[in-house]
Amino acid sequence: MKVDVCLVGGGLCGLMLAHTLNALGFSCVLLESKPELHRKTDQRALVLSYGSCQILKQLGLYSRELNTWPIETLNYSFKGFWGAVELKASNYHIPYLGQVMSAHDWMEHCLSVMDLPHTYCSACPQQLSLGEHTHHLSVTHEKGPIDINATLVVGVDGTHSWVRSQCQATLQTDLNDAAALIIPIEGAGPNTWIRNSALGSLAYVPISASNGTLIWTSTSNTIERLRNHRTRARMMQSIAGHRLTPDQTRSPYTACYPVTAQITTGRLPEGVILIGNAAQTLPPVAAQGFNLGIRDCAHFLSHCVQRRLEGNSLRMGLNQVMQARKPDIDQTYAFSLAAFQSHRWAHRIGPLTSLGLSLIHHHPTLTRSRIQSALGLMPPYHDLLKGQTLASWKKALEGLS
């Protein structure tokens, strides 16, 4: 099988790329190691930034039919310190900071509206052989072996990326002893807040006017202690205070998973690209992982369209395009890591923490560029934030034939 693009990984970003490339007329194949694309047990609440929502709208993947909840304000504070930071969408002249939805619901919606290319589930890539013009993948599948020759190989296969390991890419790991608890909360209201303490970070994300999800991130040892419901209720009440009632602090957790922070460094082979968690995995505190992956996808899609319109190989300029992504990736990675580790240094600098919170609250321009980056609104802009849409791309490409 010979294709323009081989996508390894059928998660959220993989589906987004598969649908768009197929709609634009690129020949591609999607490989997924799991038996099916559905994520029926995914308990995560996806927080899509304003910029990510705009990208998905331009690609026809964001619908009003989705059960979403807007984040118009976000309150950020530290236990034991006065002062708090309140971010408002109106300060950035946008209707909302982001939208919250269930990862399961978004996946189901995408699968219902997407037109996917050749897709192989339960596919296990065995070897990636790099070539001058195409790369060869040997894949085992229940229906027999599959041989694929692809101009581009795109690794969207998550934190433990097979594509990254095949390329022997250098991986920088900055966090490997952390974990998170996912706790559904009923009746906690419509407001988003993050509360830091010496015991980690509590982030409440509403999914409706009354209910939401609490994400508790901390060290692995602390999270292990929190598996005990009495210990968890006591600590949660101590940190959250008036934000949660005693009954709400006794809510059972539904998922516990390890948290890491890692980023791929160095140059990848020509014709290979890593996107989303395969390229960089972020702690969930600042809700930036999926949003950064969406921006990766947008820039990659812009590249593919431009090369096809120019009549050039899809490989031409790919490394330069992704190099241009580096400032956004590096800044977002550093921001997410600092947000996770803030509970460690806040208590060391004492009153300076309160002073810093007060300054940021009263002088939002101090962090405006950082927040705009997190919202996906910082240049360099890709075509999807310059007015291009899936329809306009299709029309331009059809004009070539």
Side-chain angles (χ1 to χ4, degrees):
M1 179 188 300
K2 188 174 182 179
V3 295
D4 293 323
V5 183
C6 177
L7 298 162
V8 182
L12 299 171
C13 287
L15 288 178
M16 176 181 167
L17 289 177
H19 164 75
T20 308
L21 289 169
N22 190 49
L24 293 173
F26 293 91
S27 60
C28 55
V29 62
L30 176 64
L31 305 177
E32 168 57 41
S33 61
K34 292 183 172 61
E36 58 181 10
L37 294 173
H38 297 264
R39 299 290 192 269
K40 297 177 181 178
T41 60
D42 197 334
Q43 301 290 332
R44 292 176 299 165
L46 287 182
V47 181
L48 297 177
S49 70
Y50 177 80
S52 293
C53 291
Q54 302 315 299
I55 292 171
L56 295 176
K57 285 178 182 178
Q58 301 295 72
L59 295 178
L61 294 176
Y62 188 91
S63 169
R64 292 185 178 181
E65 297 176 0
L66 279 166
N67 183 22
T68 63
W69 185 259
I71 299 177
E72 297 174 356
T73 63
L74 186 151
N75 185 278
Y76 185 89
S77 63
F78 280 86
K79 174 179 166 57
F81 299 96
W82 53 266
V85 175
E86 187 172 69
L87 302 178
K88 296 181 179 181
S90 58
N91 291 341
Y92 301 92
H93 309 292
I94 53 179
Y96 52 82
L97 297 171
Q99 295 277 356
V100 186
M101 67 185 74
S102 157
H104 171 265
D105 289 350
W106 196 82
M107 180 72 85
E108 292 298 306
H109 165 75
C110 287
L111 291 174
S112 70
V113 301
M114 283 180 169
D115 181 18
L116 296 176
H118 293 294
T119 301
Y120 295 94
C121 292
S122 300
C124 298
Q126 299 297 312
Q127 185 176 4
L128 172 60
S129 301
L130 303 175
E132 184 178 353
H133 301 292
T134 61
H135 299 319
H136 178 262
L137 290 91
S138 300
V139 183
T140 59
H141 190 259
E142 57 187 8
K143 294 183 179 180
I146 306 170
D147 290 310
I148 300 170
N149 289 302
T151 304
L152 299 181
V153 174
V154 183
V156 274
D157 47 345
T159 302
H160 306 290
S161 171
W162 175 84
V163 174
R164 186 182 62 225
S165 65
Q166 287 288 298
C167 296
Q168 298 181 335
T170 305
L171 189 65
Q172 173 186 318
T173 301
D174 296 294
L175 182 67
N176 56 14
D177 183 30
L181 281 181
I182 305 296
I183 308 169
I185 303 290
E186 295 183 357
N191 299 316
T192 306
W193 50 265
I194 298 176
R195 180 77 165 162
N196 267 326
S197 77
L199 295 172
S201 174
L202 285 180
Y204 174 75
V205 180
I207 57 175
S208 70
S210 58
N211 302 332
T213 299
L214 192 73
I215 304 103
W216 194 334
T217 53
S218 188
T219 64
S220 300
N221 288 337
T222 298
I223 294 297
E224 187 61 33
R225 290 170 58 201
L226 295 175
R227 285 175 176 268
N228 180 284
H229 69 279
R230 289 191 178 88
T231 302
R232 184 171 66 254
R234 185 178 68 254
M235 290 183 176
M236 196 186 302
Q237 187 67 61
S238 171
I239 298 171
H242 66 87
R243 297 165 185 81
L244 296 175
T245 67
D247 284 343
Q248 289 166 342
T249 64
R250 289 191 284 269
S251 301
Y253 70 89
T254 57
C256 178
Y257 59 90
V259 169
T260 188
Q262 61 184 35
I263 187 168
T264 305
T265 60
R267 190 181 180 91
L268 292 168
E270 194 76 21
V272 177
I273 185 174
L274 300 175
I275 282 178
N277 282 351
Q280 61 275 323
T281 303
L282 283 61
V285 176
Q288 286 300 298
F290 185 39
N291 291 294
L292 194 56
I294 289 178
R295 298 202 291 276
D296 286 346
C297 290
H299 281 271
F300 173 68
L301 291 169
S302 296
H303 163 81
C304 290
V305 172
Q306 290 303 315
R307 294 294 84 78
R308 183 59 56 89
L309 289 173
E310 295 165 357
N312 292 321
S313 168
L314 295 180
R315 291 190 175 193
M316 180 175 290
L318 180 61
N319 282 326
Q320 288 86 338
V321 168
M322 299 318 293
Q323 189 66 24
R325 291 278 302 120
K326 196 172 186 306
D328 180 26
I329 292 172
D330 288 348
Q331 177 167 301
T332 306
Y333 181 82
F335 173 64
S336 298
L337 187 60
F340 176 84
Q341 296 176 331
S342 59
H343 68 275
R344 299 179 181 178
W345 52 256
H347 291 267
R348 297 177 185 173
I349 60 178
L352 291 177
T353 298
S354 297
L355 179 61
L357 291 171
S358 180
L359 282 172
I360 293 171
H361 177 71
H362 293 288
H363 302 280
T365 54
L366 293 173
T367 57
R368 179 172 292 274
S369 64
R370 183 64 60 88
I371 300 302
Q372 286 181 319
S373 176
L375 293 172
L377 298 177
M378 285 292 285
Y381 297 123
H382 46 76
D383 291 347
L384 291 172
L385 284 182
K386 294 178 182 177
Q388 293 289 351
T389 65
L390 178 61
S392 65
W393 273 346
K394 287 176 70 173
K395 184 177 181 179
L397 291 171
E398 288 169 356
L400 295 177
S401 57

